[in-house]
Amino acid sequence: MRKLLTVILLLIAVSVCGQETETERPGLVARLLEKYNEIDTNYVDPPHYNFSAMLSMVYTYDIYQLKSSNGQSIKLAPEPSVKVGPYFGWRWIFLGYTFDLKKMGFDDGKKEIDLSFYSSKVGIDLYYRRTGSNYKIRDVNLGKVALDKPLEGKEFDGLSVGITGFNLYYIFNNKRFSYPAAFSQSSIQKISAGSWLAGIGYTRNSLEFDHQKLQQMIEEYGTTPTAQLDSGLMFNSVKYYDYCLTGGYAYNWVFARYWLFAASASLGLGYKHTVGDVESTRGFKLNNFSFDGMGRFGIVYNNQRWYAGASAILHGYTYRKSRFSANNIFGYLNAYVGYNFGLRKEYRKNK
């Protein structure tokens, strides 16, 4: 992760150092960057402005399901959060801050950092999430003798999840297809186009689970005889390390002037290395392959000066073993409106 952040910072520094002034021709670095981000202007209109101000509202969603080999399962999710805040952008870089109106002055243990970097050829997603422990039971199946419905909707603070990782992907049809047009509100897709994607990813997922607290809730709300948790769900902590190769397809549909609908889907084959502990003499270890998924959807209006739209990004991860499995889906919906300013030198003569 540190190496990846270093690469991103170097890219930003190179971009800054390579900018031309009003009186000098572009330097070598700037020309190389221009070559690297070369596009077909018949399909994509590059950004005309250097700066942008944006107001954003973000709706986050997270759900976690644990399942034993005998069919017992529990699905948990916190209350969705809605955050608002301002952003300021310079070319490739967007910085800002969002705050949850419901949680002002209250620390619920949640920490979320989501960063994305887009160029015409590559994209990078970085995410760091700590969910806190404010989960609720959304669905439960504990066997024939369990009383399922009374548990649904109950608060359960015995689960805490941490996710850290990145996705790095290459865009093959990078001259005619623009990811920035769909998800960073910069360039404009003029003619519909699509592209195949390929990349790599890494995720570290830590799970802390108080199964004894869950058993106490079963005994409190259950019937006689009381259901007992399967041994596969009797663990305290598990850490997943996921190394993934991904492939997918993305398409930008220009259905009207200045309007764009974007959709992309990627499927990843991941190698999972998992270390954890359960209440047994041998402990619990998992090494296997499984499939992960990622989807992106967006609708944008952008006339170069003003832009508005909404986008959604969903991540899905699956971990399986003969006696235990875990499924996690998290993502966010972002609605925004913004204004571009600071016209670039090459477009001033046309104004």
Side-chain angles (χ1 to χ4, degrees):
M1 180 64 69
R2 290 181 179 177
K3 292 182 178 179
L4 180 61
L5 289 173
T6 301
V7 171
I8 296 173
L9 291 174
L10 285 174
L11 285 173
I12 294 172
V14 166
S15 176
V16 173
C17 294
Q19 300 303 312
E20 62 178 305
T21 66
E22 296 288 338
T23 59
E24 64 182 9
R25 68 187 294 268
L28 175 61
V29 174
R31 294 198 300 272
L32 289 175
L33 286 173
E34 184 178 352
K35 181 68 175 179
Y36 181 78
N37 285 286
E38 186 177 1
I39 58 176
D40 185 342
T41 55
N42 293 317
Y43 282 78
V44 180
D45 189 17
H48 293 188
Y49 296 88
N50 285 312
F51 304 101
S52 181
M54 181 178 73
L55 181 64
S56 175
M57 180 181 71
V58 182
Y59 174 94
T60 60
Y61 178 79
D62 183 22
I63 189 166
Y64 218 100
Q65 184 180 43
L66 307 175
K67 188 174 183 180
S68 73
S69 59
N70 293 327
Q72 286 192 354
S73 65
I74 180 170
K75 187 180 295 183
L76 303 114
E79 290 291 342
S81 64
V82 179
K83 299 180 179 181
V84 297
Y87 282 80
F88 180 79
W90 174 82
R91 296 208 172 185
W92 294 348
I93 309 167
F94 254 96
L95 298 175
Y97 178 78
T98 58
F99 54 92
D100 193 333
L101 295 177
K102 294 182 180 180
K103 304 296 182 181
M104 291 183 66
F106 173 71
D107 184 8
D108 60 359
K110 281 189 175 183
K111 296 179 177 64
E112 299 180 14
I113 300 175
D114 294 283
L115 299 174
S116 294
F117 169 83
Y118 302 102
S119 71
S120 62
K121 292 187 177 182
V122 298
I124 300 172
D125 298 314
L126 297 168
Y127 44 91
Y128 173 90
R129 297 168 60 85
R130 296 297 181 266
T131 63
S133 57
N134 62 336
Y135 279 86
K136 288 186 177 181
I137 297 175
R138 302 302 180 179
D139 185 63
V140 62
N141 178 11
L142 297 174
K144 296 180 180 179
V145 298
L147 192 59
D148 296 343
K149 294 299 181 182
L151 285 174
E152 294 180 9
K154 298 297 182 182
E155 294 185 357
F156 180 71
D157 60 359
L159 178 67
S160 180
V161 178
I163 302 172
T164 304
F166 74 88
N167 293 308
L168 172 66
Y169 42 92
Y170 181 80
I171 303 162
F172 287 92
N173 188 21
N174 47 71
K175 292 186 178 181
R176 295 183 174 183
F177 170 83
S178 175
Y179 241 143
F183 297 106
S184 63
Q185 306 86 44
S186 54
S187 57
I188 296 177
Q189 188 82 46
K190 297 161 66 175
I191 301 176
S192 300
S195 177
W196 291 101
L197 313 171
I200 59 174
Y202 167 81
T203 303
R204 179 184 181 274
N205 191 321
S206 62
L207 171 64
E208 304 291 334
F209 181 56
D210 189 342
H211 61 86
Q212 294 177 338
K213 182 170 292 187
L214 179 60
Q215 182 64 52
Q216 291 174 0
M217 294 183 65
I218 294 172
E219 295 173 357
E220 180 179 355
Y221 294 100
T223 58
T224 303
T226 302
Q228 298 294 318
L229 284 177
D230 288 343
S231 59
L233 294 178
M234 291 183 179
F235 62 91
N236 297 315
S237 65
V238 177
K239 292 182 180 180
Y240 306 85
Y241 300 89
D242 181 6
Y243 307 88
C244 190
L245 296 176
T246 63
Y249 188 79
Y251 191 78
N252 284 348
W253 175 36
V254 181
F255 59 91
R257 188 182 184 188
Y258 299 138
W259 282 95
L260 170 67
F261 176 78
S264 71
S266 297
L267 187 65
L269 177 62
Y271 173 77
K272 312 293 194 297
H273 171 62
T274 304
V275 178
D277 61 272
V278 294
E279 291 184 347
S280 66
T281 56
R282 294 182 299 175
F284 179 77
K285 292 186 178 181
L286 167 63
N287 294 276
N288 72 334
F289 288 92
S290 64
F291 289 99
D292 304 324
M294 183 175 181
R296 297 174 180 270
F297 308 91
I299 185 168
V300 185
Y301 173 82
N302 188 347
N303 65 9
Q304 285 288 2
R305 175 66 82 172
W306 290 94
Y307 59 88
S311 61
I313 299 179
L314 292 174
H315 301 262
Y317 296 97
T318 302
Y319 307 86
R320 297 188 183 278
K321 183 65 174 179
S322 58
R323 55 186 298 199
F324 169 82
S325 67
N327 300 302
N328 179 218
I329 297 176
F330 72 89
Y332 64 87
L333 173 65
N334 179 24
Y336 53 85
V337 59
Y339 178 76
N340 295 317
F341 59 98
L343 191 66
R344 296 188 180 185
K345 178 184 176 181
E346 58 267 34
Y347 298 105
R348 294 175 190 172
K349 59 184 179 181
N350 298 323
K351 294 294 182 179

